């Protein structure tokens, strides 16, 4: 290679030969924790500017890396340059070594060598950045108080004031005056609730981003991700729950979503909200619980119903007594074309009682 143009052509040839196997090639040069994190679509510190959790894998197919910090010059490097930056090895050295493994520079090319795909190492604890974020969210929040914006939000959802007063006394639901919302870079009012693992450890925080209109009404922001969890290690949220109403006795209800669980509690059943349908399927009853009531969403997609059925099948096989309940519109109301959850059921029942 006599000049830069020759090298770039050679580099492009080597890079093309690596496509589809970048995880394996990274394993020859980059530490396994970084590989595991990058190929699970999580960010690591940028090798160029050093900023935490800013560097990510832009494409698994071509191995390109990218720093999302505006002032960093490390933008969309190809796979070879990404390996060079992360490993500290010179780009020419990385390119030549991989080309040699591939048999691209020998007069008699040897059999193509492709390293074995590395065994991904699962993280079992939060990173320092994730712990810092979680602490900041919880420490900057205060217990919901009667009449504050979280109280107003839940009241606007149709939940009774006596239930909200009990929640204030319990102190699990928190109010935050200024939550950072990464998708648009703004700060919003927020409802914050700690999330616990099946072992009872706090592994994250559930955040609902709120706004107040000119008339003082509080609602969720108009964004598809208006509810988000703080970052945590892989599998941290499997079976995780929000322990509204305190510890379980010998029986506990479970459902999807905080507001839905509050509606079930308002109807007289101690119910913990889980995070999603996967949480329903993976729920681990705490010690001392023998009966689980599953309050499933009546979804058009059948996702809620399927999750409840799978949960019942698994827990029943493990010796638990499981009963599933599906909300139906009261008094023959037709809800064709939309899903229906237990908050909808609760509100419909309240509306009906008002007309009687």
């Amino acid at each position: 290679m006599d000049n830069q143009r020759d090298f770039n052509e050679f580099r492009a040839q080597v890079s093309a030969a690596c496509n589809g196997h970048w995880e394996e090639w990274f394993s020859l040069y980059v530490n396994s924790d970084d590989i595991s994190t990058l190929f699970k679509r999580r960010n690591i510190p940028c090798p160029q500017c050093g900023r935490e959790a800013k560097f990510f894998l832009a494409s698994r197919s071509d191995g390109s890396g990218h720093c999302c910090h505006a002032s960093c010059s490390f933008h969309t490097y190809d796979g070879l340059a990404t390996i060079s930056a992360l490993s500290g090895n010179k780009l020419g050295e990385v390119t030549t070594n991989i080309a040699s493994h591939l048999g691209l520079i020998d007069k008699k090319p040897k059999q193509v060598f492709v390293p074995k795909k590395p065994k991904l190492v699962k993280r079992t604890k939060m990173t320092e950045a994730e712990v810092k974020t979680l602490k900041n969210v919880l420490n900057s929040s205060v217990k919901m108080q009667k009449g504050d914006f979280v109280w107003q939000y839940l009241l606007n959802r149709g939940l009774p004031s006596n239930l909200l007063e009990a929640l204030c006394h319990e102190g699990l639901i928190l109010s935050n005056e200024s939550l950072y919302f990464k998708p648009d870079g703004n700060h919003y009012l927020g409802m914050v609730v700690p999330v616990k693992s099946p072992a009872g450890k706090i592994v994250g925080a559930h955040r609902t981003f709120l706004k107040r209109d000119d008339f003082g009404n509080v609602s969720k922001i108009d964004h598809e991700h208006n509810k988000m969890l703080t970052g945590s290690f892989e599998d941290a949220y499997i079976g995780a729950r929000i322990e509204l109403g305190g510890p379980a006795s010998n029986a506990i209800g479970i459902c999807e979503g905080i507001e839905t669980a509050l509606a079930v509690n308002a109807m007289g059943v101690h119910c913990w909200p889980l995070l999603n349908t996967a949480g329903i399927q993976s729920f681990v009853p705490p010690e001392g619980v023998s009966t689980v009531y599953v309050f499933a969403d009546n979804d058009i997609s059948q996702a809620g119903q399927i999750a409840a059925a799978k949960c019942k099948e698994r827990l029943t096989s493990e010796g638990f007594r499981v009963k599933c309940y599906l909300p139906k519109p009261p008094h023959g109301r037709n809800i064709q074309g939309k899903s229906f959850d237990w908050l909808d059921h609760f509100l419909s029942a309240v509306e009906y009682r008002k007309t009687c």
Side-chain angles (χ1 to χ4, degrees):
M1 285 156 285
D2 299 326
N3 53 43
Q4 187 64 34
R5 180 177 179 180
D6 290 336
F7 175 74
N8 286 339
E9 291 176 354
F10 173 64
R11 172 178 161 183
Q13 180 187 11
V14 175
S15 185
C18 290
N19 286 346
H21 297 282
W22 283 107
E23 192 171 357
E24 291 92 320
W25 292 114
F26 270 57
S27 70
L28 291 181
Y29 297 91
V30 183
N31 77 69
S32 60
D33 285 343
D34 282 349
I35 297 171
S36 175
T37 304
L38 286 170
F39 282 85
K40 289 177 182 174
R41 294 296 191 191
R42 293 181 179 269
N43 297 4
I44 65 172
C46 176
Q48 180 75 11
C49 66
R51 288 180 172 85
E52 289 289 331
K54 291 296 182 182
F55 184 82
F56 64 96
L57 205 63
S59 170
R60 296 181 64 164
S61 61
D62 61 24
S64 58
H66 180 84
C67 179
C68 56
H69 196 275
S71 65
C72 182
S73 60
F74 196 52
H75 290 297
T76 318
Y77 280 31
D78 71 2
L80 296 171
T82 301
I83 290 175
S84 171
L86 293 176
S87 66
N89 294 304
K90 293 180 179 179
L91 177 59
E93 180 183 332
V94 170
T95 304
T96 303
N97 286 346
I98 291 180
S100 178
H101 283 309
L102 289 167
L104 297 177
I105 58 175
D106 294 336
K107 291 182 180 179
K108 293 182 180 180
K110 54 189 175 184
Q111 184 177 1
V112 173
F113 164 77
V114 176
K116 291 183 179 180
K117 188 173 182 178
K119 184 178 180 180
L120 295 179
V121 179
K122 288 188 176 182
R123 289 195 295 126
T124 57
K125 62 181 181 179
M126 287 182 276
T127 64
E128 290 183 8
E130 289 167 344
V131 171
K132 183 179 179 181
T133 298
L134 176 59
K135 286 183 177 180
N136 286 343
V137 169
L138 295 179
N139 292 340
S140 62
S141 303
V142 297
K143 294 179 182 179
M144 179 182 72
Q145 299 293 320
K146 183 175 182 178
D148 74 6
F149 58 87
V150 172
W151 169 289
Q152 190 63 49
Y153 164 69
L154 294 174
L155 199 65
N156 289 347
R157 294 302 307 270
L159 295 164
S161 58
N162 62 333
L163 174 67
L164 300 185
E165 288 177 7
L167 292 172
C168 288
H169 179 72
E170 181 183 50
L172 186 64
I173 295 182
L174 310 176
S175 302
N176 194 300
E177 290 282 352
S178 181
L179 275 182
Y180 177 66
F181 187 59
K182 188 174 182 179
D184 65 13
N186 293 319
H187 287 77
Y188 296 96
L189 302 172
M191 178 173 71
V192 176
V193 189
V195 179
K196 288 186 177 182
S197 70
K201 295 182 178 180
I202 295 177
V203 291
H206 184 286
R207 299 163 295 170
T208 304
F209 296 88
L210 307 172
K211 62 180 180 180
R212 184 188 285 116
D213 65 19
D214 295 337
F215 301 99
N217 298 313
V218 182
S219 60
K220 285 183 283 192
I221 64 172
D222 186 17
H223 193 284
E224 61 176 329
H225 300 304
N226 49 28
K227 296 184 290 184
M228 297 179 71
L229 295 164
T230 55
S232 197
F233 58 92
E234 186 182 17
D235 297 342
Y237 288 120
I238 292 180
R241 69 247 187 166
I242 296 169
E243 297 184 356
L244 289 176
S249 55
N250 64 333
I252 189 66
I254 58 172
C255 70
E256 291 181 62
I258 295 170
E259 293 89 332
T260 303
L262 291 176
V264 175
N265 276 278
M267 291 185 283
V269 179
H270 187 188
C271 184
W272 287 347
L274 308 183
L275 303 177
N276 45 37
T277 53
I280 296 286
Q281 294 183 44
S282 61
F283 176 65
V284 179
E287 187 176 353
V289 168
S290 58
T291 302
V292 176
Y293 303 115
V294 184
F295 292 89
D297 287 355
N298 193 341
D299 290 327
I300 297 173
S301 66
Q302 299 292 307
Q305 298 91 314
I306 292 171
K310 289 184 176 179
C311 176
K312 181 175 183 178
E313 180 181 9
R314 177 176 60 83
L315 292 182
T316 300
S317 70
E318 295 174 5
F320 294 94
R321 177 173 174 260
V322 182
K323 298 192 71 175
C324 296
Y325 300 93
L326 198 65
K328 295 181 180 180
H331 319 294
R333 260 187 59 196
N334 187 0
I335 59 160
Q336 187 174 2
K338 74 180 288 288
S339 297
F340 197 76
D341 62 26
W342 285 96
L343 178 58
D344 296 321
H345 177 86
F346 174 76
L347 296 178
S348 296
V350 170
E351 181 182 350
Y352 176 77
R353 284 196 297 270
K354 289 180 178 179
T355 62
C356 293

